[in-house]
Amino acid sequence: MAKIDVYDTTLRDGTQGEGISFSLADKIKIVKLLDELGVSYIEAGIPASNPKDAELFACLAEIKLKHAKIAAFGSTHRIGVPVEQDSAVKALIDAGAPVVTIFGKAWDLHVKEVFHARLSENLDIIRETVCYVKSFGKEVIFDAEHFFDGYKQNREYALSSLNAAKSAGADIICLCDTNGAAFPDEISSIVAEVKAYLGGTKLAIHCHNDVGVAVSNTLLGVFAGAEQVQGTMNGFGERCGNANLCTIIPNLQLKRGYDLVPKESLKKLKSISRHIYELANIVPDERKPYVGGMAFAHKGGMHIDAVLKNPVTFEHISPENVGNERKLLMSEMSGRALVYDIIRKFEPDTKKDAPVISEILDEIKRLENEGYQFEGAESSFELMVLKKLGFYKPQFQLEQFQVIAAAPAKSQYTATAMIKICVGDTAEITAAEGEGPVNALDKALRKALYRFYPELKNTRLIDFKVRVLDGSKTGTAALTRVLMESTDGRTNWSTVGVSEDILEASWRALVDSVDYYMLDIKRNKHTERSKATC
Ligand SMILES: CC(=O)SCCNC(=O)CCNC(=O)[C@H](O)C(C)(C)COP(=O)(O)OP(=O)(O)OC[C@H]1O[C@@H](n2cnc3c(N)ncnc32)[C@H](O)[C@@H]1OP(=O)(O)O
Ligand SMILES: CC(=O)C(=O)O
């Protein structure tokens, strides 16, 4: 398998993305995560940019990594400042990283209009900077900024910028599509031409995603001869982002047999991707290939049937290869196959044509037509199956509840719930205050049940979503769907309730949540619970 270096620039180009800022501690965590993933290079930042980046390099000097080399990033030296006196170049060397990545101008337009240098002067500056940094024993990567735009407008000059870096001893030359607007066919032909032109020099490819093809461009760069891919985790980066390593790595490794990261590390891809989303405080994009929560979610009944017969029918890889998992979503679009698969967990002898399967399917379709949604409320669905199979016994009976919400003029808004329930022949009446009526009701119900089911003390609601269905038709009397997620600290489960009354919808979801937990404890299947059905 041909080796392709993974060069991660999440901490440099990734942080140039809007809304992304990592603390020093976050950056150190990310370096360790990337090393765990097995990338070859981690571009940690620009030492001359800010004190945080400078401090990061000092911290990284103390950390031993298993796979990755740390790279410090910065520009060629300033015009009119001799290279040995340029403070930014000095910071690059002082950062102590074994690799220095120097970006320089490859597009004549930039040289003239941004750098305000003569074309030959820019080439001298590239040469001097690379040569100077090499004299400190550093591995040098030359990032040819705007290379593809430059090549299209002034091929000779773009190539001469590469030659300047090569002649000064650059170890790797990276072709950058800085504006992210090159097309795949252009990348293919230009990388191949440069490869032939530069002979044995190792090439890297660095693409941005402004026209949505950064990943394709990176793949084509490799097919045309690049041996290093530069990108960011989750595609973070300025404007529309950088090429997404979470897509590039598995594409090249699993589909084309290149060697990028250790096979076992690839199985951590999803969890590392999510950890980095979390540190960036960004909600993960669940539709992302390979690592998204929906990447292996099947909903169409016929698709589920096929996946259950042979996953290859609808899955391009085994989700486990990248640490992801298959989801089979229950909905009005389901067919018998999924219900059959679920029922067999409770009744292994059930046949696929058993009448109960059609009954459950009809019930799902009827309830979803009324506003229920079982995708995302797997526990309510499981309870429904148990009821149909005759395995369900309510854990308590509601006698009545009352909720009073008050907004006195001079104090805070308050909500109080009173509830009476019976377990067997024993009645219990309790009351509780809450932050809003649903919270008050939740607290009152739990308080009433603790006496009978002390295990419930471990549980709590962690998410509560309300969706008004067809609000335009009926205004405040519209149908409301409530989705609840509960936890006992080890596993989570989700339930749903629908009603025209938001309290009643919440109550239904709440009762399912309690019922499901108690039944589950009795069935003693905690560890399997989160995987159940969907
Ligand atoms: C393609 C890329 O992503 S490159 C990386 C871009 N990333 C960043 O800019 C983030 C970090 N940047 C910073 O912290 C700051 O910009 C610094 C500290 C690096 C520089 O700050 P300043 O000295 O104040 O300059 P400023 O930010 O305005 O940048 C413009 C200067 O950089 C010069 N410059 C731009 N590209 C290059 C280059 N390849 N080589 C040398 N100088 C360059 C410009 O000519 C301009 O100089 P001038 O003011 O003499 O015309
Ligand atoms: C170097 C770099 O980040 C770019 O040219 O896009």
Side-chain angles (χ1 to χ4, degrees), residues 98 100 128 151 167 245 274 308 354:
V100 171
E128 285 159 12
Y151 190 93
S167 66
L245 289 175
R274 292 188 107 76
L308 288 169

Side-chain angles (χ1 to χ4, degrees), residues 12-13 16 46 48-49 73 75-78 103-105 114-115 145 178:
R12 200 278 301 171
D13 229 354
Q16 286 174 214
I46 304 179
S49 173
F73 182 85
S75 73
T76 49
H77 75 80
R78 294 291 165 110
F103 70 94
K105 303 282 186 205
V114 180
F115 207 17
E145 208 191 337
T178 309

Side-chain angles (χ1 to χ4, degrees), residues 24 72 84 107 129 145 257 293 311 315 337 356 387 416 424 430 494 525:
L24 179 64
E84 57 284 355
W107 186 2
T129 314
E145 208 191 337
E315 283 175 359
V356 68
K387 282 178 195 168
T416 313
T430 57
S494 310
K525 57 178 271 299

Side-chain angles (χ1 to χ4, degrees), residues 28 110 196 206 231 331 362 372 377 468:
I28 292 171
H110 263 262
H206 175 119
S331 76
D362 290 348
Y372 275 78
V468 176

Side-chain angles (χ1 to χ4, degrees), residues 38-101:
V39 307
S40 312
Y41 296 85
I42 299 170
E43 189 173 272
I46 304 179
S49 173
N50 56 73
K52 203 200 289 174
D53 274 11
E55 204 181 335
L56 176 63
F57 283 100
C59 295
L60 292 178
E62 307 296 317
I63 297 174
K64 205 167 155 29
L65 300 175
K66 283 193 295 264
H67 297 282
K69 288 188 258 188
I70 298 292
F73 182 85
S75 73
T76 49
H77 75 80
R78 294 291 165 110
I79 306 174
V81 182
V83 66
E84 57 284 355
Q85 287 171 28
D86 186 303
S87 57
V89 175
K90 181 173 184 311
L92 276 177
I93 290 154
D94 292 348
V99 183
V100 171
T101 302

Side-chain angles (χ1 to χ4, degrees), residues 77-139:
H77 75 80
R78 294 291 165 110
I79 306 174
V81 182
V83 66
E84 57 284 355
Q85 287 171 28
D86 186 303
S87 57
V89 175
K90 181 173 184 311
L92 276 177
I93 290 154
D94 292 348
V99 183
V100 171
T101 302
I102 297 165
F103 70 94
K105 303 282 186 205
W107 186 2
D108 59 354
L109 173 96
H110 263 262
V111 178
K112 291 180 223 158
E113 298 200 10
V114 180
F115 207 17
H116 299 307
R118 281 174 283 111
L119 294 183
S120 61
E121 195 177 10
N122 176 54
L123 299 180
D124 290 341
I125 285 174
I126 293 172
R127 229 177 269 114
E128 285 159 12
T129 314
V130 172
C131 187
Y132 183 70
V133 175
K134 273 306 292 177
S135 72
F136 288 84
K138 304 287 183 187
E139 177 178 344

